[in-house]
Structures are given as structure tokens and as C-alpha cells.
Amino acid sequence: MTLNVVPCRVRDEWDAAVDSQQGHPMQLWGWGETKSAHNWRVDRVLVLEDGAVVGSAQILLRPLPFPFRSLAYVARGPQAAAGREIEVLDAVGRYVKATHKSVALSIEPDWDADSVAAASLPASGWARSSSTILIPRTLILDLSRSEDELLGAMSKKTRQYIRKSSREALEYRAVTAAELPQCMAVYKETAERAEFGIHQDSYYSDILRNLGAGSPIYGAFDGEKLVAFLWLAASGSTAFELYGGMTEAGSQLRANFSLKWLAIQEMKARGITRYDFNGLLNDGVSKFKFGFADHENMLAGTWDLGLSPLYPVFAKALPLGRKAMKKARGILKR
């Protein structure tokens, strides 16, 4: 039976559909609202069979120069009933082609690289892309494990630093909206020190406003002064690290160790079962992350479905098209 794809325009209905299939926080309504306020359009669709939801996808659309129209992108989605991932993708692809006439649909699904769904992508017309936005190599903790089991999987040094930093004269707690400017000051200091780019302040305040309780921030305070913070996005099943930063004082006190352990404990207390550290590279930050587990995870990566006869030109040959693709994808980076 052909699946029916219909737009969803009710926030509660949408978020309930995402959570019912263990969807990622980047598929929540609030994340799409933030992107739609910053140079993207958003289209949320339910995939139905006999009126029952079998899948859903929050589609971000970036306008492109004529004649390419737009690039469609699904971050850590779509959601789908087990075993029906490719059917849902096919239905979403047909919808995007007919409704938006995009040159391509790009996805970075929240699937294991060795899953049946990921292995089925090439035969369904999908091509692997090297234009990665979300790093597929990551670390995902299973929060259904006990705290003792989680601590046991950490390196000895990480456990030592958690104990040591917890004894420092610091307060570890949730950050309030009124304290967001302190987070931004620490984040800017961190970005300057590590030489990476960040958005304007309005982007971050929009995330906090649009995701609400789904955007918890935890901080380490020396008195009233913030010395480290960790910002998450959270759906019903998955917590995903968005941003973090430390002052020099926070670094000396190893505040990031107890801070991350607090975030893990808080997400576990919410009933969340997956805690994603958001990417692993060969750098100092990743070395720090590795201390929290005895494994790593590899997700499916980035895949493109050409929806227009112009896609080969857009993706491979035309310099302007390639530049537009890079720019479109780059806007999504944090």
C-alpha cells in the first residue's frame, strides 16, 4: 500500500509523533522553529498508512540560486517504524520532489552504520556524500545502565577527576534563562581560545526559547560566576550535546568532568536512554570524551538523493552549484 505524506502544523502532535518513534531532538518542533528564524524554511510531514503514523520527518529547506531551487535536509531523521525506514524515506523523497522541487534531499539519519536500513540506502538510489554536517563517529551512552555501570566504563583518570572536581568549592546546577549571557561570555572566550566560529547571540537565545525544557543547560559556578557550562538538546529518548565552554579557572579546577557527569545523571533521571556526545575527532576534546566510555559509535553518515536532472551538475560539475551546496550546508553547522 502506498504511504500517504501529509504536513503537520500542530506542535504537540508533531513532538508526540517524534517521541513515539524515539526521535532525535533535532527533529523536535523547537529546533525547526529556530532554523526557520535563521535562513531556512521548515516543513514537517507525517507518513501515514491507513491513518496510522509509520514515520515522520522535519525537512529543512535552503533556497539555492536558479535553476536549483532548494536543498532539502533532514537532520538525524526521519523517524520510522522498525523495518520501514526505506519505505518512509522513499515517501518523503517523493513528497519533497513534488512539493518543493528541490534539487536534492540530504539526510543524516540517527541509524547505526551497520544497520539494515543504512545498508539498504545505495540500492534505493541514495549516494553517500562527503559534505558532512553532523559527525557520524560519536559516543553514545546507554543510560538504561546503572550509574555504577556507567562509572565502571569510564577511565580511571576520569573517575578520579570527577571525584576531585566535585570536592572543589564549586556549585553544579541548572543554568537559568537569566544566566544565558554568562554562558555566551564563556562560549565566546572558549571560541576565541580554540579558534572556532559561532553564531550571533540571537541564535542561542532562540534555541533556549523554542526548545524550552528540551534545551537544558548545566553550569559550574564559583560563587555567582559561571566557570563552565554544558548545553544539551533532549527529546523523549535522546540527549545530544550542543555547546559547552570553560574559563581558564574552570579548566584548572577540572570543572568539565563533574559537569558532564551531572548532565548524564540528570538525563538518566528524565528517563532518557541515549546520551550522544555529538561527534569524535582526533583532538583534545574528543580525548576528554573518550574518558567517559569504553566504546565508540559510528552512525550512517550523510546521504543524498538526487531529485532533479540537474543534480549531477549541481553536485559534481558546476562550480557555482558546489559552492552553493557548501554554503547551504555550512549554515547548519554550530
Side-chain angles (χ1 to χ4, degrees):
M1 180 177 292
T2 302
L3 299 179
N4 187 29
V5 180
V6 298
C8 179
R9 299 185 175 89
V10 180
R11 178 172 186 150
D12 289 347
E13 180 183 358
W14 176 258
D15 285 347
V18 171
D19 282 338
S20 71
Q21 293 178 323
Q22 293 75 55
H24 194 275
M26 284 187 168
Q27 285 289 294
L28 292 175
W29 185 280
W31 188 260
E33 287 298 280
T34 298
K35 290 299 180 183
S36 69
H38 296 271
N39 303 310
W40 290 84
R41 290 187 293 123
V42 62
D43 190 4
R44 305 174 183 91
V45 296
L46 301 175
V47 182
L48 308 177
E49 182 178 59
D50 294 333
V53 175
V54 296
S56 57
Q58 179 163 255
I59 305 160
L60 300 177
L61 297 146
R62 179 68 175 177
L64 294 175
F66 180 83
F68 302 112
R69 293 181 179 268
S70 65
L71 172 68
Y73 172 63
V74 179
R76 289 292 182 257
Q79 292 67 240
R84 307 200 64 179
E85 294 89 352
I86 300 302
E87 288 180 78
V88 168
L89 270 180
D90 287 346
V92 172
R94 291 192 296 270
Y95 171 86
V96 171
K97 182 177 182 179
T99 304
H100 300 292
K101 297 179 173 58
S102 301
V103 67
L105 171 60
S106 184
I107 62 168
E108 290 181 320
D110 197 19
W111 306 340
D112 289 337
D114 60 358
S115 65
V116 173
S120 302
L121 286 168
S124 301
W126 292 84
R128 186 176 290 278
S129 173
S130 60
S131 299
T132 298
I133 301 162
L134 300 170
I135 301 169
R137 180 176 173 238
T138 187
L139 173 59
I140 301 174
L141 295 183
D142 177 3
L143 297 191
S144 67
R145 303 175 76 186
S146 69
E147 288 192 7
D148 285 343
E149 288 174 322
L150 292 169
L151 285 165
M154 297 179 191
S155 70
K156 181 179 179 180
K157 181 178 289 187
T158 295
R159 290 194 298 271
Q160 289 174 339
Y161 280 142
I162 288 174
R163 289 193 294 268
K164 182 179 184 300
S165 58
S166 67
R167 291 194 296 266
E168 300 290 349
L170 297 176
E171 180 186 9
Y172 296 91
R173 61 170 174 80
V175 172
T176 67
E179 293 167 329
L180 181 60
Q182 283 201 65
C183 292
M184 294 312 305
V186 172
Y187 196 40
K188 290 171 184 176
E189 177 183 332
T190 303
E192 183 176 354
R193 187 169 61 242
E195 298 183 333
F196 63 83
I198 62 175
H199 292 284
Q200 294 181 343
D201 287 2
S202 61
Y203 180 83
Y204 303 99
S205 60
D206 284 348
I207 291 175
L208 191 61
R209 182 179 66 255
N210 290 325
L211 281 173
S215 183
I217 309 174
Y218 301 99
F221 290 83
D222 184 0
E224 295 184 357
K225 183 176 177 59
L226 181 75
V227 297
F229 78 94
L230 180 59
W231 191 338
L232 310 178
S235 62
S237 62
T238 299
F240 184 73
E241 293 186 351
L242 291 176
Y243 318 108
M246 281 193 302
T247 64
E248 291 289 354
S251 179
Q252 292 174 7
L253 294 170
R254 308 285 184 180
N256 51 339
F257 286 89
S258 284
L259 187 58
K260 192 177 291 288
W261 178 231
L262 171 65
I264 291 168
Q265 290 175 302
E266 290 290 319
M267 294 300 97
K268 181 176 173 59
R270 283 195 185 195
I272 286 171
T273 56
R274 300 170 74 245
Y275 185 102
D276 190 336
F277 283 60
N278 186 8
L280 294 171
L281 298 170
N282 297 317
D283 61 2
V285 173
S286 295
K287 183 178 180 180
F288 163 68
K289 293 178 180 181
F290 271 126
F292 283 82
D294 54 5
H295 72 283
E296 64 179 70
N297 299 84
M298 182 63 74
L299 298 180
T302 310
W303 294 82
D304 286 350
L305 179 67
L307 301 177
S308 163
L310 294 171
Y311 175 71
V313 177
F314 172 71
K316 298 178 181 179
L318 190 64
L320 178 61
R322 295 183 70 179
K323 183 177 180 180
M325 175 182 278
K326 182 177 180 181
K327 181 178 180 181
R329 288 186 164 122
I331 293 295
L332 280 162
K333 294 185 178 180
R334 290 163 284 106

